[in-house]
Amino acid sequence: MIKFNGKDIPSFVIVQKINQSVLPSISQKTTKVNGRAGEIDFGNEIGARIIEVELTVVGSNLVDLRGKVRQLASWLYYEDAKELIFTEESDKYYLAKFTGDSDL
C-alpha cells in the first residue's frame, strides 16, 4: 500500500487511514500601499502538503512489539526528503519526510 524510499511498508504494519488535503496550504502574498485603495497582489505562496497516516503495529508480545516499533522508526526516519508512493497511484510520488510527533 505504501512505499517509502523504495522500500515497502513493513509487513507488521496495518494502515488504518490516510488523511491528506486536496491542495497544500495556499496563502496570498499582498502588500498594502499607503494612500492607495486595496492591496497589490504578488501571487500565491504554496506551503507543504501534510499527509497523515494512522496505523497499527502488530506484535506477538510487548518485547516483539517494541522491536517492531524500532524497525518502523528506522523505515520512517531520514534527514532528507525521500520518495513516498501509494501503490494505488504507483505512477505518482511525493517527496516526503517524517515530521512531528509519533505517539504509540
Side-chain angles (χ1 to χ4, degrees):
M1 178 175 221
I2 297 175
K3 251 186 175 174
F4 189 49
N5 193 30
K7 301 174 191 168
D8 290 329
I9 193 168
S11 60
F12 53 82
V13 176
I14 300 169
V15 175
Q16 301 292 342
K17 187 176 181 182
I18 299 173
N19 296 321
Q20 73 183 71
S21 60
V22 175
L23 292 169
S25 64
I26 301 172
S27 58
Q28 305 299 313
K29 293 175 61 177
T30 60
T31 299
K32 173 94 173 108
V33 177
N34 289 332
R36 294 188 68 187
E39 296 181 275
I40 299 173
D41 183 5
F42 287 102
N44 298 331
E45 188 169 302
I46 299 174
R49 178 177 286 184
I50 307 298
I51 301 172
E52 295 178 349
V53 179
E54 293 179 25
L55 51 85
T56 300
V57 179
V58 179
S60 57
N61 56 47
L62 188 56
V63 173
D64 182 48
L65 184 61
R66 296 267 181 208
K68 288 180 176 173
V69 167
R70 280 191 289 283
Q71 288 177 45
L72 177 61
S74 68
W75 181 77
L76 283 172
Y77 183 76
Y78 295 94
E79 288 286 328
D80 301 322
K82 303 295 180 188
E83 283 190 6
L84 173 67
I85 299 171
F86 297 107
T87 54
E88 301 83 30
E89 294 184 302
S90 59
D91 60 328
K92 296 174 179 57
Y93 70 90
Y94 300 90
L95 285 177
K97 63 193 259 184
F98 183 87
T99 62
D101 295 328
S102 57
D103 299 330
L104 283 176

